[in-house]
Amino acid sequence: MNSKRFLEFYCIALLTALPLSNIMAQNDTVYLDDNQEVFSVVSHDPEPIGGRESFDKWIQENFKEELKSTEDNEKKVFYVQFIVEVDGTLSDIKIVKGFGEPYDDEVKRVVKENPTKWRPARQNNKPVKRANLIAVKI
């Protein structure tokens, strides 16, 4: 594994271990400020219907061209946190690690407007809300 891939893996692992903002951990469940139950550990993770590749492809195709990185063709990696609801929609989208405005706003926009539904997480064979953290490369 080259050092760049190791660093990306390490950052993702580190960020997923950090507590989510405004959320209090309690066993395998977390609670939002309004006491809504959101799972952090589930038997089946949420995933985009059609796969992560189609989700990422839509983001790339709809991200504003003028904001795409042109410096040495280096891609920017944003870490985006959101909740996958029981119906497969995304809510509470936040940039955990970004590059400031206008980049963070644009990443939030394309994640929010992405038409891909997600298969919700499952716990005890029932769909549940789950907090999710993904890396988005632009």
Side-chain angles (χ1 to χ4, degrees), residues 3-116:
S3 61
K4 187 174 182 180
R5 298 238 344 131
F6 175 77
L7 183 59
E8 281 182 322
F9 173 78
Y10 179 76
C11 287
I12 291 171
L14 180 62
L15 285 171
T16 57
L18 295 173
L20 302 175
S21 62
N22 299 326
I23 295 178
M24 231 170 42
Q26 199 173 60
N27 297 333
D28 64 347
T29 306
V30 292
Y31 293 88
L32 295 176
D33 290 337
D34 58 1
N35 212 24
Q36 290 182 331
E37 187 175 34
V38 178
F39 285 76
S40 58
V41 177
V42 293
S43 55
H44 294 88
D45 288 330
E47 61 184 346
I49 296 172
R52 180 65 195 268
E53 285 181 19
S54 72
F55 181 81
D56 290 342
K57 182 180 177 188
W58 192 94
I59 288 175
Q60 292 297 321
E61 291 172 352
N62 291 277
F63 195 86
K64 290 180 182 173
E65 284 295 324
E66 64 269 18
L67 296 178
K68 287 186 178 177
S69 181
T70 56
E71 306 160 2
D72 301 328
N73 247 356
E74 282 289 315
K75 291 196 176 229
K76 289 179 169 57
V77 180
F78 297 80
Y79 293 94
V80 183
Q81 167 192 311
F82 51 83
I83 294 175
V84 179
E85 299 287 340
V86 175
D87 66 358
T89 58
L90 305 183
S91 67
D92 200 27
I93 300 167
K94 297 177 184 171
I95 304 300
V96 175
K97 181 207 172 275
F99 294 88
E101 292 182 15
Y103 303 100
D104 293 1
D105 292 339
E106 181 63 3
V107 170
K108 256 178 107 169
R109 182 191 71 80
V110 292
V111 169
K112 183 178 182 178
E113 292 179 4
N114 195 314
T116 305

